[in-house]
Amino acid sequence: MNLATRLLIALAGLSGALGVGLSAAAAHITGGNLTTAAQFLLFHAPGLLALAALIAVGAVHPIIAQVAGYLLVLGLVLFCGDLSRRAFAGIALFPRAAPTGGVLLMLGWVLVAVSALLRVRG
């Protein structure tokens, strides 16, 4: 894969990380916790499918991309789980669950970018 394609994937990862941060800030400002949780799940689902496809075709470093994918899933569980529980039950999943999930989501997206920039052996 050429450098331009790897750079494009890396920029998508950076966009995902920034999108998570801005969405979390918006949820705090507007209080739309359940909407934010639903959007995160819906937006990350195709991203995870695309990441699996990128791994399958060898476009990204497979181990780093797999770690990124599982970080994204764990981040979604914590972030969306906490926002949803707060919306439905009025209590947190556990202290700092949403921020921890948000950090994991951002880290996952950064690792997507890193997986595209590292050369795949083969």
Side-chain angles (χ1 to χ4, degrees):
M1 175 181 21
N2 65 34
L3 177 61
T5 302
R6 290 196 328 265
L7 184 59
L8 185 60
I9 297 167
L11 290 171
L14 181 60
S15 175
L18 293 173
V20 168
L22 291 175
S23 294
H28 287 289
I29 293 168
T30 65
N33 285 347
L34 198 55
T35 299
T36 300
Q39 289 174 338
F40 267 53
L41 291 168
L42 290 170
F43 296 154
H44 281 82
L48 289 166
L49 291 171
L51 185 58
L54 290 169
I55 293 167
V57 299
V60 292
H61 191 283
I63 294 172
I64 295 173
Q66 287 175 0
V67 170
Y70 286 111
L71 280 175
L72 290 170
V73 170
L74 181 57
L76 286 171
V77 168
L78 294 177
F79 187 79
C80 297
D82 189 61
L83 293 183
S84 297
R85 187 159 188 214
R86 286 174 190 267
F88 288 118
I91 57 174
L93 192 58
F94 60 84
R96 312 278 310 150
T100 301
V103 169
L104 291 175
L105 285 167
M106 290 186 278
L107 181 57
W109 281 113
V110 168
L111 284 180
V112 169
V114 169
S115 74
L117 295 175
L118 292 179
R119 293 232 180 245
V120 179
R121 296 180 196 222

